[in-house]
Amino acid sequence: MNLRRFIPIFDDSVSEWGLEARLLRWLTLVWLFVGLIMLFSASYAVADVRHDDGLYYFKRQLLWVLVALILFNIVVNLPLRKFLGMSHWFMFLLLGLIFVTMIPGVGKNELGAARRLVGPVPIQPSELIKPFLVLQSARVFGQWEQLSWRVRLTWLGIFCLVILGILAQPNLSTASLCGMTIWLIALAAGLPYKYLGGTAVGGVLLAVLSVSFREYQRKRVMSFLNPWADATGDGYQLVQSLLAIGSGNTWGAGFGLSQQKLFYLPIQDTDFIFSVFAEEFGFVGSVVLLVMLGLFATLGLIVALKTTHPTYRLIAIGVTIVMVGQSLLHIGVATGVLPTTGLPLPMFSYGGNSMIASLVAAGLLIRVARESSEAEVIPLRRGGRNRPERLTQRKKF
């Protein structure tokens, strides 16, 4: 095996990939580059004050990017069947870690939620589980008709445990994203509407109960309806975000010239990084970002339509939902279309766990594109005599 293939800058096999795989790779790298540039701008001022080093967050993000890129290249160069064969083990491991984060002294409590493990490496299992949740749900729903009801109910129970575990941290936004991803993959797999309808109603009721029992979540929902009613209290984050986006006007204030990131806009390098982007690059820059997301979604759907393997098709759909859906939810929160929740913008927001999950997910989509397009036409000859050639395809994994 050529180990050079697993290091991004030395991977010389890219020229042999299919068109969709190459386009997705370049789009992913452009998305990553723009995200790093934006993080540099959004985090510099706050890092300079908190750590006496304006590059504090940026340098750490670069280290995570290097690790994530190596994992990304491993994913795009290994057969999907290997990842599908071990996805359930990662699911069990990360599900266990999700519940471990809620143990006092083991989980790190930040902003009222225990989402990370205490230690030198900040592991956030609710982020890392996303690509494996896509793999396993695609695996289950892709062969739904061949499974016994015992196996079906077992995996549905495990999926519910994942969502309930994330919800208990509490992390309503990530739990909602995971729930919607599983539900949409099931919808794409063609499961009966009576099951999907009942599940959707149950999910909505669960979200309502979570908001009802947690006062801070209820206040967020109410402040989202009218943030200006309490502009210095519960509506402060959204008000500052709207001020940042509105200040961008048509062309933006210019790279690095955002005013709201100077300790007016909270959590500007993670949950509200789009607000800084919109202020610095304006309406035009925001439209370009949305076009990029649209291109990624279009390529993802093309890949899903081209592949003949039902499980691989669901993987492509699931990854597209996670990457583009999470981005749109983040933008919706920043613009006041959705209630204020803590959801990072993939490959923009600061955080190594989100970066690894995003690049691994993108790598899975590219791998589906490779396996659906890498085929060669070979002639078949019978009886040693030259006959009219028939065309067939042989997959290369």
Side-chain angles (χ1 to χ4, degrees):
M1 181 181 293
N2 185 6
L3 295 179
R4 291 168 58 89
R5 294 166 51 203
F6 299 115
I7 304 176
I9 61 174
F10 296 121
D11 188 1
D12 55 1
S13 67
V14 178
S15 59
E16 303 171 3
W17 296 5
L19 177 61
E20 290 85 5
R22 283 185 281 123
L23 288 175
L24 280 169
R25 180 179 184 270
W26 278 111
L27 192 57
T28 299
L29 294 178
V30 169
W31 190 347
L32 174 62
F33 177 76
V34 175
L36 284 173
I37 294 298
M38 201 61 243
L39 177 67
F40 169 80
S41 174
S43 65
Y44 190 92
V46 67
D48 189 44
V49 171
R50 292 177 183 171
H51 303 283
D52 294 323
D53 181 7
L55 298 176
Y56 181 86
Y57 296 117
F58 183 72
K59 288 186 294 187
R60 279 155 180 75
Q61 188 78 338
L62 283 180
L63 292 176
W64 282 110
V65 167
L66 291 176
V67 173
L69 280 175
I70 292 175
L71 295 175
F72 168 81
N73 250 47
I74 290 174
V75 171
V76 300
N77 282 293
L78 288 180
L80 276 171
R81 64 176 183 271
K82 292 189 176 181
F83 294 104
L84 287 169
M86 58 185 178
S87 61
H88 59 291
W89 295 115
F90 281 100
M91 280 278 296
F92 295 145
L93 173 63
L94 293 169
L95 175 59
L97 292 178
I98 286 172
F99 285 98
V100 167
T101 58
M102 290 177 274
I103 300 175
V106 180
K108 185 177 181 180
N109 196 298
E110 296 175 317
L111 301 177
R115 302 174 185 176
R116 303 177 188 272
L117 295 175
V118 173
V121 180
I123 297 175
Q124 188 174 348
S126 59
E127 281 292 327
L128 296 175
I129 203 171
K130 290 176 183 175
F132 300 105
L133 195 62
V134 169
L135 282 171
Q136 193 58 31
S137 55
R139 185 183 182 188
V140 171
F141 297 128
Q143 52 185 351
W144 184 259
E145 296 299 328
Q146 289 77 44
L147 300 177
S148 66
W149 271 106
R150 182 179 62 82
V151 176
R152 292 178 183 179
L153 293 175
T154 298
W155 277 109
L156 290 177
I158 293 172
F159 293 151
C160 288
L161 275 178
V162 172
I163 296 171
L164 290 173
I166 297 173
L167 196 61
Q169 289 183 328
N171 191 346
L172 178 60
S173 55
T174 302
S176 300
L177 176 66
C178 291
M180 287 188 294
T181 300
I182 295 170
W183 191 88
L184 289 170
I185 290 175
L187 176 66
L191 265 66
Y193 290 123
K194 59 182 179 180
Y195 300 147
L196 294 171
T199 306
V201 171
V204 171
L205 290 176
L206 188 62
V208 170
L209 285 174
S210 177
V211 172
S212 301
F213 285 109
R214 292 193 172 95
E215 184 180 359
Y216 81 95
Q217 289 181 348
R218 188 166 61 253
K219 287 182 177 179
R220 281 185 173 184
V221 172
M222 298 305 295
S223 64
F224 144 77
L225 297 174
N226 184 14
W228 305 99
D230 189 12
T232 58
D234 294 323
Y236 180 77
Q237 287 181 327
L238 182 53
V239 167
Q240 297 303 316
S241 176
L242 293 174
L243 288 174
I245 294 171
S247 300
N249 294 313
T250 304
W251 297 100
F255 176 67
L257 299 180
S258 166
Q259 295 299 308
Q260 291 300 112
K261 70 182 181 184
L262 302 177
F263 304 97
Y264 296 103
L265 177 67
I267 328 179
Q268 69 272 47
D269 55 344
T270 52
D271 296 351
F272 284 92
I273 195 169
F274 173 78
S275 307
V276 180
F277 177 86
E279 184 179 1
E280 296 189 352
F281 294 98
F283 175 77
V284 173
S286 301
V287 169
V288 170
L289 178 60
L290 290 174
V291 169
M292 184 183 73
L293 294 176
L295 288 173
F296 192 93
T298 301
L299 287 170
L301 292 176
I302 290 173
V303 170
L305 291 172
K306 283 188 65 174
T307 184
T308 58
H309 197 296
T311 300
Y312 294 0
R313 179 181 297 113
L314 295 178
I315 292 173
I317 292 172
V319 169
T320 304
I321 291 168
V322 167
M323 296 292 289
V324 179
Q326 180 171 328
S327 300
L328 294 178
L329 288 174
H330 176 100
I331 294 171
V333 168
T335 54
V337 177
L338 297 172
T340 303
T341 57
L343 202 61
L345 181 58
M347 289 190 279
F348 270 64
S349 297
Y350 176 73
N353 294 275
S354 177
M355 181 63 68
I356 288 176
S358 298
L359 281 175
V360 167
L364 289 172
L365 179 58
I366 294 171
R367 185 63 209 180
V368 174
R370 289 191 62 184
E371 295 197 15
S372 64
S373 62
E374 287 184 356
E376 60 182 355
V377 178
I378 59 173
L380 287 182
R381 297 184 179 181
R382 295 182 178 176
R385 298 173 58 187
N386 290 331
R387 298 285 183 89
E389 294 182 349
R390 298 175 59 194
L391 300 182
T392 187
Q393 287 187 332
R394 182 175 64 197
K395 295 288 186 182
K396 298 190 299 183
F397 299 113

